[in-house]
Amino acid sequence: CSNDSEEDMFGDYDSFYGNDPSLAQVDDTEHKYLQDKNTDVKAAGEITLGNLQSGIHQKKQDHFSTSESVVVLKADKEDAFQMNEGDPVDSNQELTESILDDLPSSQLLYFEKMHELSSGSRISPDSESRNKCVNSSSDKIRSPSSFCADAEHRNRPTDFSSGSKCNLFKTESLKDHLKSAMTGNAKAQTLQVSKTKQLKEAVLSEEICVARKTIESSSVDIGPFYGLPSKVKDLLRQLRGIETLYEWQHDCLMLESLQQRKNLIYSLPTSGGKTLVAEIIILQELLCRQKDVLMILPYVAIVQEKVWIQGLSSFGIELGFLVEEYAGSKGRFPPIKRRIKKSLYIATIEKGHALVNSLIETDRIDDLGLIVVDELHMLGEGSRGATLEITLAKILYTSKNTQIIGMSATLNNVGDLQKFLQAEYYTSNFRPVELKEYIKIRDAIYAVDSKTENGFTFSRLLNFKYSSNLERADPDHIIALVTEVIPKYSCLIFCPTKKNCENVASMVCKYLKKEFRAHREKEKQDLIKNLKNIGNGSVCPVLKQTIPFGIAYHHSGLTNDERKSIEEAYSTGVLCLLACTATLAAGVNLPARRL
């Protein structure tokens, strides 16, 4: 009975009425209980058992007919007992309704059980008072105060009066307890966290843990993606469009020297994919070994491209590390010491040297786990090469735990570099796109061929009709060479000076056909508007003349924003021809069909 009563107490109050099988069971229990006390009831001159049962059934009908007689145990009610004013009061009844009468029967039995446990040996007086309370179940109570007054008027025994008050106090305390419990549950707020986000973070953390253990061990098991979380592979596909690595890239990443954290120099032709290998090694250091990384690049433009255009900042956001730019006026010395996230410093040669100095002075050089040097051949180029050499020498002397990775397309004295950096060497002749070299002499084009005696063989003649005016304006036949590929494909013209870049761009568009203006015309107009906004309402007259034909120049005279706009337009095919200086060849990725 105790277990059943607890379920009723915290269940929906509607379950006490209607065709509820539990109610019939409770009635049977009451019937059996009252039979045991039948003799005492008759002696006291109270209502018979038949009247009690009829009163109980009458109560059930009252619950359906009038809502005022229903007892509702809800937190938003002020009282758990409601009075039905329409019910008649029997004048022969000196004792009015019992307080417990308005409670469900299952709760009544619960209170009796609790009272029996608390009463102990005092069974006779309390059982008599409880019997009297139960036998008055056909009546309705007006108020607790009237019950107390009538009890005093009838001069009932002290045990009955105290037992009734005890039941009242127990009822009130239980009601308050239920109120507070349900109110607390209603006010309790649940933390709204996306389960999908929690799952993704858990998977990423687990993969990083596994990758870290794999990297620290000498095992050949490389984990999901070369010791990195599988999310790195997804990001490469989303941001770079890279599905799989070249065979040489896989071989290089699996080198025993890399697994043992030895210094490495590797050399491949341009566009072979050297940078991607370096980036994977960088991510291993940041995510698995939890160390900072310094990447040294030769020019400011390449640093900016690496930070923004090539999406290393996006990798940092997704994978939880910081990307800090050290070029031009940007950079902090010494860098901020991070407690949790690790940093990737992308710097020019001079800024990288200053950064290493600041880390040595603050005794933080051991926080730097890896240095990657692009265009390593610049070690032999004047003062800038000396600065780069000093930087690497300081690292070798002050930190035994910092790994050095160098890469270049052209290295002549590899043996000297290996000795200086105490490094292993890897090389390959792989090129994803075959490079064909030609020489133009007057109208004839010759293919470069090292197998022949003079180094080249005749290929073909230019098929372009020049007028006398055009011959004077374009003696090198530049227009004939570029119109074979533009506007369908892209082309670059390298010029010796900035002024020459602007003159060549103007000359080419002057003699092009008008059909070139129709190619992606709207996007060209948008580019001019963008450049005008960048220049506060003004745009270079040369660019204003050449852009409608899909032509522009590219040199250091452009602002950073202008250069980024032109590079983006060229990469997307809006511009098909750039006249540029050699600084564009220092690592900025602008692919071309002809050069």
Side-chain angles (χ1 to χ4, degrees):
C1 291
S2 176
N3 292 335
D4 292 339
S5 63
E6 290 178 1
E7 291 178 2
D8 289 341
M9 284 172 61
F10 297 101
D12 190 351
Y13 66 86
D14 290 338
S15 64
F16 297 125
Y17 313 119
N19 298 323
D20 192 346
S22 61
L23 187 60
Q25 183 179 359
V26 172
D27 288 342
D28 293 339
T29 305
E30 290 180 347
H31 187 272
K32 182 178 179 181
Y33 172 79
L34 290 172
Q35 280 181 340
D36 295 337
K37 300 295 182 178
N38 190 33
T39 306
D40 296 336
V41 172
K42 288 182 180 179
E46 297 292 329
I47 302 174
T48 63
L49 181 60
N51 290 337
L52 171 64
Q53 293 175 338
S54 64
I56 292 177
H57 291 300
Q58 181 64 36
K59 172 184 277 293
K60 295 180 191 175
Q61 295 177 1
D62 291 343
H63 284 312
F64 284 104
S65 60
T66 173
S67 61
E68 291 182 358
S69 63
V70 177
V71 178
V72 180
L73 287 178
K74 293 181 69 175
D76 55 352
K77 296 293 184 181
E78 292 184 0
D79 293 315
F81 312 105
Q82 297 184 0
M83 179 178 66
N84 190 347
E85 296 179 355
D87 291 340
V89 179
D90 190 355
S91 59
N92 295 328
Q93 296 287 340
E94 295 184 359
L95 178 63
T96 61
E97 307 173 24
S98 167
I99 294 175
L100 301 180
D101 184 53
D102 278 352
L103 287 175
S105 301
S106 59
Q107 293 187 30
L108 179 63
L109 294 178
Y110 176 79
F111 290 138
E112 290 177 352
K113 183 69 176 177
M114 295 299 296
H115 188 66
E116 288 174 3
L117 294 175
S118 61
S119 303
S121 58
R122 297 189 308 160
I123 297 176
S124 299
D126 291 339
S127 61
E128 180 182 357
S129 63
R130 281 197 306 273
N131 189 28
K132 291 180 180 180
C133 290
V134 171
N135 287 334
S136 63
S137 61
S138 61
D139 298 327
K140 295 291 180 180
I141 186 168
R142 288 189 299 270
S143 68
S145 59
S146 63
F147 166 77
C148 296
D150 288 342
E152 292 176 1
H153 179 71
R154 295 275 299 169
N155 294 323
R156 295 294 181 188
T158 306
D159 288 342
F160 174 78
S161 176
S162 62
S164 300
K165 290 181 180 180
C166 180
N167 288 337
L168 175 61
F169 294 151
K170 287 182 180 179
T171 304
E172 292 291 340
S173 64
L174 180 67
K175 179 187 71 172
D176 294 339
H177 176 69
L178 291 176
K179 276 187 179 182
S180 62
M182 289 188 287
T183 303
N185 290 339
K187 291 181 178 180
Q189 296 183 357
T190 304
L191 183 61
Q192 299 295 330
V193 179
S194 170
K195 292 185 178 179
T196 304
K197 183 177 180 182
Q198 285 181 334
L199 182 60
K200 286 183 177 179
E201 290 179 351
V203 171
L204 181 60
S205 300
E206 182 178 357
E207 288 186 344
I208 288 178
C209 255
V210 172
R212 188 179 303 166
K213 291 178 181 178
T214 303
I215 288 295
E216 290 174 354
S217 67
S218 59
S219 173
V220 295
D221 182 11
I222 58 174
F225 182 70
Y226 297 99
L228 292 168
S230 56
K231 187 174 184 179
V232 175
K233 187 175 182 179
D234 297 335
L235 289 173
L236 287 174
R237 182 169 55 251
Q238 295 171 9
L239 302 178
R240 306 277 184 84
I242 298 173
E243 295 288 345
T244 57
L245 301 186
Y246 296 130
E247 185 178 352
W248 83 263
Q249 292 173 327
H250 173 76
D251 294 341
C252 185
L253 289 169
M254 295 300 296
L255 288 175
E256 190 67 24
S257 56
L258 278 182
Q259 306 300 325
Q260 297 175 3
R261 286 184 56 78
K262 293 182 179 179
N263 297 341
L264 176 68
I265 300 171
Y266 62 98
S267 175
L268 281 97
T270 303
S271 75
K274 299 185 297 295
T275 305
L276 179 59
V277 172
E279 289 173 350
I280 292 176
I281 297 173
I282 287 171
L283 293 176
Q284 290 175 346
E285 194 71 28
L286 290 167
L287 301 180
C288 301
R289 299 189 184 93
Q290 293 290 302
K291 291 284 188 177
D292 296 332
V293 177
L294 170 61
M295 188 176 192
I296 297 179
L297 303 172
Y299 301 112
V300 174
I302 306 176
V303 171
Q304 294 171 343
E305 182 194 28
K306 186 65 64 178
V307 172
W308 303 108
I309 300 176
Q310 293 190 5
L312 281 181
S313 296
S314 301
F315 277 85
I317 293 172
E318 294 292 335
L319 298 173
F321 63 87
L322 302 173
V323 178
E324 302 185 35
E325 180 182 342
Y326 279 75
S329 60
K330 295 183 179 179
R332 176 168 179 166
F333 304 100
I336 299 174
K337 187 175 179 62
R338 315 284 180 179
R339 290 192 305 109
I340 301 176
K341 291 187 176 182
K342 300 304 174 182
S343 296
L344 168 58
Y345 310 112
I346 303 180
T348 57
I349 294 174
E350 292 75 17
K351 289 282 186 176
H353 182 223
L355 180 64
V356 168
N357 286 341
S358 65
L359 291 175
I360 293 174
E361 291 171 359
T362 55
D363 199 23
R364 289 167 51 192
I365 193 63
D366 287 333
D367 293 342
L368 201 61
L370 174 68
I371 289 185
V372 175
V373 181
D374 196 5
E375 310 297 346
L376 186 61
H377 61 269
M378 292 194 69
L379 275 170
E381 295 188 7
S383 61
R384 301 198 75 207
T387 303
L388 179 58
E389 186 176 348
I390 292 171
T391 303
L392 296 176
K394 289 179 179 179
I395 293 294
L396 291 169
Y397 182 76
T398 59
S399 177
K400 301 300 181 183
N401 298 322
T402 302
Q403 186 181 17
I404 299 175
I405 303 292
M407 52 183 171
S408 176
T410 56
L411 286 176
N412 295 323
N413 57 336
V414 176
D416 295 336
L417 289 174
Q418 280 187 264
K419 186 177 180 181
F420 167 58
L421 296 177
Q422 304 163 24
E424 301 290 327
Y425 179 62
Y426 178 87
T427 185
S428 174
N429 294 322
F430 173 81
R431 268 190 85 95
V433 179
E434 184 183 0
L435 180 63
K436 298 180 179 179
E437 298 180 71
Y438 296 92
I439 297 174
K440 187 190 78 68
I441 302 175
R442 298 184 181 90
D443 292 340
I445 297 178
Y446 298 85
V448 174
D449 187 357
S450 59
K451 297 178 182 179
T452 61
E453 184 179 353
N454 55 6
F456 54 88
T457 57
F458 176 79
S459 177
R460 63 186 174 90
L461 291 173
L462 280 178
N463 184 20
F464 192 88
K465 293 182 180 180
Y466 271 78
S467 63
S468 58
N469 291 334
L470 182 56
E471 188 73 35
R472 287 192 297 269
D474 182 23
D476 295 324
H477 305 103
I478 292 176
I479 295 176
L481 293 171
V482 300
T483 51
E484 290 181 349
V485 292
I486 66 170
K488 186 177 181 180
Y489 301 107
S490 55
C491 182
L492 295 174
I493 304 176
F494 281 92
C495 305
T497 64
K498 291 187 288 185
K499 185 63 177 176
N500 191 232
C501 292
E502 299 176 15
N503 292 339
V504 168
S506 299
M507 183 271 296
V508 171
C509 72
K510 184 177 180 181
Y511 291 98
L512 286 180
K513 296 179 181 179
K514 293 183 179 180
E515 288 80 359
F516 284 88
R517 297 178 66 99
H519 180 71
R520 305 182 72 165
E521 183 176 4
K522 184 180 182 303
E523 291 161 287
K524 293 172 185 175
Q525 295 299 323
D526 293 340
L527 176 59
I528 293 176
K529 290 179 182 178
N530 186 31
L531 292 173
K532 188 177 290 186
N533 293 334
I534 293 172
N536 295 325
S538 63
V539 63
C540 173
V542 177
L543 292 176
K544 191 174 182 181
Q545 175 195 0
T546 61
I547 286 178
F549 290 91
I551 301 172
Y553 63 82
H554 185 287
H555 56 62
S556 60
L558 297 171
T559 65
N560 288 338
D561 293 334
E562 288 173 339
R563 185 172 64 249
K564 288 179 182 178
S565 297
I566 290 175
E567 289 173 358
E568 183 179 352
Y570 178 82
S571 299
T572 56
V574 177
L575 297 177
C576 56
L577 176 64
L578 288 183
C580 53
T581 56
T583 55
L584 184 139
V588 177
N589 288 321
L590 297 179
R593 173 61 64 92
R594 176 167 291 181
L595 181 129

